[in-house]
Short mmCIF file of all heavy atoms in Angstrom, two decimals:
data_model
loop_
_atom_site.label_atom_id
_atom_site.label_comp_id
_atom_site.label_asym_id
_atom_site.label_seq_id
_atom_site.Cartn_x
_atom_site.Cartn_y
_atom_site.Cartn_z
N MET M 1 0.85 -1.21 0.00
CA MET M 1 0.00 0.00 0.00
C MET M 1 0.87 1.25 0.00
O MET M 1 1.82 1.34 0.77
CB MET M 1 -0.88 0.01 1.25
CG MET M 1 -2.12 -0.85 1.13
SD MET M 1 -3.36 -0.08 0.11
CE MET M 1 -4.15 1.02 1.27
N PRO M 2 0.56 2.22 -0.84
CA PRO M 2 1.33 3.47 -0.82
C PRO M 2 1.10 4.22 0.49
O PRO M 2 0.08 4.06 1.13
CB PRO M 2 0.80 4.26 -2.01
CG PRO M 2 -0.35 3.51 -2.53
CD PRO M 2 -0.50 2.22 -1.82
N ASP M 3 2.12 5.04 0.84
CA ASP M 3 2.01 5.83 2.07
C ASP M 3 0.83 6.78 2.02
O ASP M 3 0.07 6.90 2.97
CB ASP M 3 3.30 6.66 2.27
CG ASP M 3 4.34 5.81 2.96
OD1 ASP M 3 3.95 4.79 3.54
OD2 ASP M 3 5.53 6.17 2.91
N ALA M 4 0.73 7.53 0.91
CA ALA M 4 -0.34 8.52 0.79
C ALA M 4 -1.36 8.02 -0.23
O ALA M 4 -1.21 8.22 -1.43
CB ALA M 4 0.24 9.86 0.35
N GLY M 6 -4.24 8.97 -0.76
CA GLY M 6 -5.22 9.99 -1.12
C GLY M 6 -5.31 10.37 -2.57
O GLY M 6 -6.24 10.02 -3.26
N GLY M 7 -4.31 11.09 -3.07
CA GLY M 7 -4.44 11.62 -4.42
C GLY M 7 -5.39 12.81 -4.41
O GLY M 7 -5.56 13.48 -3.40
N THR M 8 -6.04 13.04 -5.55
CA THR M 8 -6.93 14.19 -5.62
C THR M 8 -8.26 13.89 -4.95
O THR M 8 -8.58 12.73 -4.69
CB THR M 8 -7.20 14.58 -7.09
OG1 THR M 8 -7.88 13.49 -7.71
CG2 THR M 8 -5.93 14.88 -7.84
N TYR M 10 -12.13 13.27 -4.74
CA TYR M 10 -13.08 12.69 -5.71
C TYR M 10 -14.09 13.76 -6.12
O TYR M 10 -14.66 14.45 -5.29
CB TYR M 10 -13.81 11.49 -5.12
CG TYR M 10 -14.52 10.69 -6.19
CD1 TYR M 10 -13.86 9.69 -6.88
CD2 TYR M 10 -15.84 10.96 -6.54
CE1 TYR M 10 -14.48 8.98 -7.89
CE2 TYR M 10 -16.47 10.26 -7.54
CZ TYR M 10 -15.79 9.26 -8.21
OH TYR M 10 -16.41 8.56 -9.21
N ARG M 11 -14.29 13.89 -7.44
CA ARG M 11 -15.20 14.95 -7.90
C ARG M 11 -16.61 14.41 -8.05
O ARG M 11 -17.09 14.16 -9.15
CB ARG M 11 -14.67 15.54 -9.21
CG ARG M 11 -13.53 16.52 -8.92
CD ARG M 11 -12.82 16.96 -10.15
NE ARG M 11 -13.70 17.58 -11.13
CZ ARG M 11 -13.30 17.92 -12.35
NH1 ARG M 11 -12.07 17.69 -12.72
NH2 ARG M 11 -14.13 18.48 -13.19
N GLY M 15 -25.25 14.78 -5.39
CA GLY M 15 -25.57 13.74 -4.41
C GLY M 15 -24.51 13.63 -3.33
O GLY M 15 -24.81 13.57 -2.14
N MET M 16 -23.23 13.64 -3.76
CA MET M 16 -22.16 13.48 -2.78
C MET M 16 -22.05 14.71 -1.87
O MET M 16 -21.89 14.57 -0.66
CB MET M 16 -20.83 13.26 -3.51
CG MET M 16 -19.65 13.08 -2.57
SD MET M 16 -18.16 12.53 -3.41
CE MET M 16 -17.05 13.86 -3.07
N VAL M 86 -35.88 9.52 -1.38
CA VAL M 86 -34.96 8.79 -2.26
C VAL M 86 -35.02 7.30 -1.94
O VAL M 86 -35.00 6.45 -2.83
CB VAL M 86 -33.52 9.32 -2.10
CG1 VAL M 86 -32.51 8.34 -2.70
CG2 VAL M 86 -33.37 10.68 -2.77
N ASP M 87 -35.13 6.97 -0.64
CA ASP M 87 -35.13 5.56 -0.24
C ASP M 87 -36.48 4.88 -0.42
O ASP M 87 -36.52 3.69 -0.73
CB ASP M 87 -34.68 5.43 1.21
CG ASP M 87 -33.18 5.19 1.32
OD1 ASP M 87 -32.59 4.79 0.31
OD2 ASP M 87 -32.62 5.40 2.40
N TYR M 88 -37.58 5.59 -0.20
CA TYR M 88 -38.87 4.89 -0.12
C TYR M 88 -39.88 5.27 -1.20
O TYR M 88 -40.92 4.67 -1.29
CB TYR M 88 -39.47 5.07 1.28
CG TYR M 88 -38.61 4.43 2.32
CD1 TYR M 88 -37.88 5.19 3.22
CD2 TYR M 88 -38.48 3.04 2.37
CE1 TYR M 88 -37.05 4.60 4.16
CE2 TYR M 88 -37.67 2.44 3.30
CZ TYR M 88 -36.96 3.22 4.20
OH TYR M 88 -36.14 2.63 5.10
N TRP M 89 -39.59 6.29 -1.99
CA TRP M 89 -40.50 6.66 -3.07
C TRP M 89 -39.91 6.08 -4.35
O TRP M 89 -38.74 6.32 -4.65
CB TRP M 89 -40.61 8.19 -3.14
CG TRP M 89 -41.43 8.73 -4.27
CD1 TRP M 89 -42.60 8.22 -4.76
CD2 TRP M 89 -41.15 9.89 -5.06
NE1 TRP M 89 -43.06 8.99 -5.80
CE2 TRP M 89 -42.20 10.03 -6.00
CE3 TRP M 89 -40.13 10.84 -5.06
CZ2 TRP M 89 -42.25 11.06 -6.93
CZ3 TRP M 89 -40.17 11.87 -5.98
CH2 TRP M 89 -41.22 11.98 -6.91
N ALA M 90 -40.72 5.31 -5.10
CA ALA M 90 -40.19 4.59 -6.26
C ALA M 90 -39.46 5.52 -7.23
O ALA M 90 -38.47 5.13 -7.84
CB ALA M 90 -41.32 3.85 -6.98
N GLN M 96 -33.73 12.80 -7.56
CA GLN M 96 -32.94 13.23 -6.41
C GLN M 96 -32.33 14.63 -6.62
O GLN M 96 -32.29 15.43 -5.70
CB GLN M 96 -31.82 12.21 -6.11
CG GLN M 96 -30.84 11.94 -7.23
CD GLN M 96 -29.53 12.68 -7.07
OE1 GLN M 96 -29.35 13.39 -6.09
NE2 GLN M 96 -28.63 12.52 -8.01
N ARG M 97 -31.88 14.92 -7.85
CA ARG M 97 -31.23 16.20 -8.09
C ARG M 97 -32.26 17.33 -8.03
O ARG M 97 -32.01 18.37 -7.42
CB ARG M 97 -30.53 16.18 -9.45
CG ARG M 97 -29.43 17.17 -9.56
CD ARG M 97 -28.52 16.86 -10.72
NE ARG M 97 -27.76 15.65 -10.52
CZ ARG M 97 -27.35 14.85 -11.51
NH1 ARG M 97 -27.64 15.14 -12.75
NH2 ARG M 97 -26.65 13.77 -11.24
N ARG G 27 -0.71 9.08 -11.35
CA ARG G 27 -0.32 8.76 -9.97
C ARG G 27 0.31 7.38 -9.97
O ARG G 27 -0.31 6.39 -10.38
CB ARG G 27 -1.54 8.76 -9.07
CG ARG G 27 -1.15 8.59 -7.61
CD ARG G 27 -2.00 9.46 -6.73
NE ARG G 27 -1.73 9.22 -5.34
CZ ARG G 27 -1.13 10.10 -4.56
NH1 ARG G 27 -0.73 11.25 -5.05
NH2 ARG G 27 -0.94 9.84 -3.28
N TYR G 29 2.92 4.26 -8.20
CA TYR G 29 3.35 3.62 -6.96
C TYR G 29 4.09 2.36 -7.33
O TYR G 29 3.56 1.51 -8.06
CB TYR G 29 2.13 3.29 -6.10
CG TYR G 29 2.41 2.34 -4.96
CD1 TYR G 29 3.19 2.75 -3.88
CD2 TYR G 29 1.92 1.05 -4.98
CE1 TYR G 29 3.46 1.87 -2.84
CE2 TYR G 29 2.18 0.17 -3.94
CZ TYR G 29 2.96 0.58 -2.87
OH TYR G 29 3.21 -0.28 -1.85
N ASP G 37 7.80 3.21 -0.65
CA ASP G 37 6.38 3.04 -0.37
C ASP G 37 5.56 4.31 -0.60
O ASP G 37 4.38 4.34 -0.25
CB ASP G 37 6.19 2.57 1.08
CG ASP G 37 6.15 1.04 1.13
OD1 ASP G 37 5.95 0.44 0.05
OD2 ASP G 37 6.32 0.47 2.21
N ARG G 86 -9.42 6.48 -12.07
CA ARG G 86 -9.96 7.79 -11.72
C ARG G 86 -9.33 8.82 -12.65
O ARG G 86 -8.15 9.13 -12.53
CB ARG G 86 -9.66 8.10 -10.26
CG ARG G 86 -10.51 9.17 -9.68
CD ARG G 86 -10.86 8.88 -8.23
NE ARG G 86 -9.69 8.65 -7.41
CZ ARG G 86 -9.18 9.55 -6.58
NH1 ARG G 86 -9.74 10.72 -6.44
NH2 ARG G 86 -8.12 9.27 -5.85
N ASN G 88 -9.35 12.62 -14.04
CA ASN G 88 -9.79 13.94 -13.61
C ASN G 88 -10.76 13.86 -12.42
O ASN G 88 -11.79 14.53 -12.39
CB ASN G 88 -10.43 14.71 -14.76
CG ASN G 88 -9.38 15.42 -15.61
OD1 ASN G 88 -8.19 15.34 -15.32
ND2 ASN G 88 -9.82 16.10 -16.65
N GLY G 89 -10.43 13.02 -11.48
CA GLY G 89 -11.18 12.96 -10.23
C GLY G 89 -12.44 12.12 -10.24
O GLY G 89 -13.12 12.02 -9.23
N ARG G 90 -12.78 11.53 -11.40
CA ARG G 90 -13.99 10.71 -11.46
C ARG G 90 -13.66 9.33 -12.01
O ARG G 90 -12.81 9.21 -12.89
CB ARG G 90 -15.04 11.35 -12.37
CG ARG G 90 -15.66 12.56 -11.75
CD ARG G 90 -16.97 12.93 -12.43
NE ARG G 90 -17.41 14.18 -11.85
CZ ARG G 90 -17.65 15.29 -12.53
NH1 ARG G 90 -17.57 15.27 -13.83
NH2 ARG G 90 -18.02 16.38 -11.91
N ASN G 91 -14.38 8.33 -11.52
CA ASN G 91 -14.16 6.97 -12.01
C ASN G 91 -14.73 6.82 -13.42
O ASN G 91 -15.89 7.14 -13.65
CB ASN G 91 -14.84 5.95 -11.09
CG ASN G 91 -14.06 5.75 -9.82
OD1 ASN G 91 -13.02 6.35 -9.62
ND2 ASN G 91 -14.58 4.91 -8.95
N GLU G 111 -5.53 8.37 -11.87
CA GLU G 111 -5.19 7.73 -10.60
C GLU G 111 -5.85 6.36 -10.52
O GLU G 111 -6.83 6.12 -11.21
CB GLU G 111 -5.73 8.56 -9.42
CG GLU G 111 -5.14 9.94 -9.29
CD GLU G 111 -6.06 10.84 -8.49
OE1 GLU G 111 -6.00 10.78 -7.25
OE2 GLU G 111 -6.86 11.57 -9.09
N PRO G 117 -6.64 -1.81 -2.23
CA PRO G 117 -5.18 -1.68 -2.08
C PRO G 117 -4.49 -1.58 -3.43
O PRO G 117 -4.74 -2.39 -4.33
CB PRO G 117 -4.78 -2.96 -1.35
CG PRO G 117 -6.03 -3.60 -0.88
CD PRO G 117 -7.15 -3.10 -1.71
N SER G 176 -16.23 4.31 -6.09
CA SER G 176 -16.62 5.73 -6.07
C SER G 176 -17.43 6.03 -4.82
O SER G 176 -17.84 7.17 -4.61
CB SER G 176 -17.46 6.08 -7.30
OG SER G 176 -18.78 5.59 -7.16
N THR G 226 -25.41 8.69 -2.08
CA THR G 226 -24.64 9.83 -2.59
C THR G 226 -24.69 9.89 -4.12
O THR G 226 -24.22 10.86 -4.70
CB THR G 226 -23.16 9.75 -2.18
OG1 THR G 226 -22.55 8.67 -2.87
CG2 THR G 226 -23.01 9.57 -0.69
N PHE G 227 -25.18 8.82 -4.75
CA PHE G 227 -25.33 8.75 -6.21
C PHE G 227 -24.00 8.78 -6.96
O PHE G 227 -23.98 8.90 -8.18
CB PHE G 227 -26.26 9.86 -6.74
CG PHE G 227 -27.70 9.60 -6.37
CD1 PHE G 227 -28.21 10.06 -5.17
CD2 PHE G 227 -28.52 8.87 -7.21
CE1 PHE G 227 -29.52 9.80 -4.81
CE2 PHE G 227 -29.83 8.62 -6.86
CZ PHE G 227 -30.34 9.09 -5.67
N ASN G 228 -22.86 8.67 -6.25
CA ASN G 228 -21.57 8.59 -6.95
C ASN G 228 -21.52 7.36 -7.85
O ASN G 228 -20.96 7.40 -8.95
CB ASN G 228 -20.42 8.49 -5.93
CG ASN G 228 -20.00 9.84 -5.42
OD1 ASN G 228 -20.68 10.83 -5.65
ND2 ASN G 228 -18.90 9.89 -4.71
N GLU G 231 -23.44 7.88 -11.09
CA GLU G 231 -22.69 8.78 -11.98
C GLU G 231 -21.50 8.06 -12.60
O GLU G 231 -21.13 8.33 -13.74
CB GLU G 231 -22.15 9.99 -11.21
CG GLU G 231 -23.13 10.70 -10.31
CD GLU G 231 -23.89 11.79 -11.03
OE1 GLU G 231 -23.64 11.95 -12.24
OE2 GLU G 231 -24.71 12.45 -10.39
N GLN G 244 -31.91 0.94 -3.86
CA GLN G 244 -33.16 1.35 -3.20
C GLN G 244 -34.22 0.27 -3.35
O GLN G 244 -34.97 -0.02 -2.41
CB GLN G 244 -33.63 2.68 -3.81
CG GLN G 244 -34.87 3.25 -3.17
CD GLN G 244 -36.00 3.44 -4.18
OE1 GLN G 244 -36.13 2.68 -5.14
NE2 GLN G 244 -36.79 4.46 -3.97
N LYS G 247 -33.54 -2.39 -0.89
CA LYS G 247 -33.94 -1.93 0.45
C LYS G 247 -35.45 -2.09 0.64
O LYS G 247 -35.93 -2.59 1.65
CB LYS G 247 -33.61 -0.44 0.64
CG LYS G 247 -32.17 -0.11 0.92
CD LYS G 247 -32.03 1.42 0.98
CE LYS G 247 -30.58 1.86 1.16
NZ LYS G 247 -30.41 3.29 0.90
N ILE G 251 -38.07 -4.63 3.12
CA ILE G 251 -39.15 -4.23 4.03
C ILE G 251 -40.47 -4.86 3.59
O ILE G 251 -41.17 -5.47 4.40
CB ILE G 251 -39.27 -2.70 4.05
CG1 ILE G 251 -38.01 -2.11 4.66
CG2 ILE G 251 -40.49 -2.26 4.86
CD1 ILE G 251 -37.87 -0.63 4.47
#
Side-chain angles (χ1 to χ4, degrees):
Chain M
M1 279 285 277
D3 275 343
T8 63
Y10 194 87
R11 281 170 57 187
M16 180 170 119
V86 164
D87 267 341
Y88 296 109
W89 176 39
Q96 59 100 1
R97 203 164 291 151
Chain G
R27 186 141 175 111
Y29 166 69
D37 268 343
R86 199 143 55 103
N88 276 359
R90 288 198 186 123
N91 284 0
E111 297 159 82
S176 76
T226 68
F227 289 88
N228 276 11
E231 312 271 1
Q244 183 238 33
K247 282 177 184 166
I251 295 167

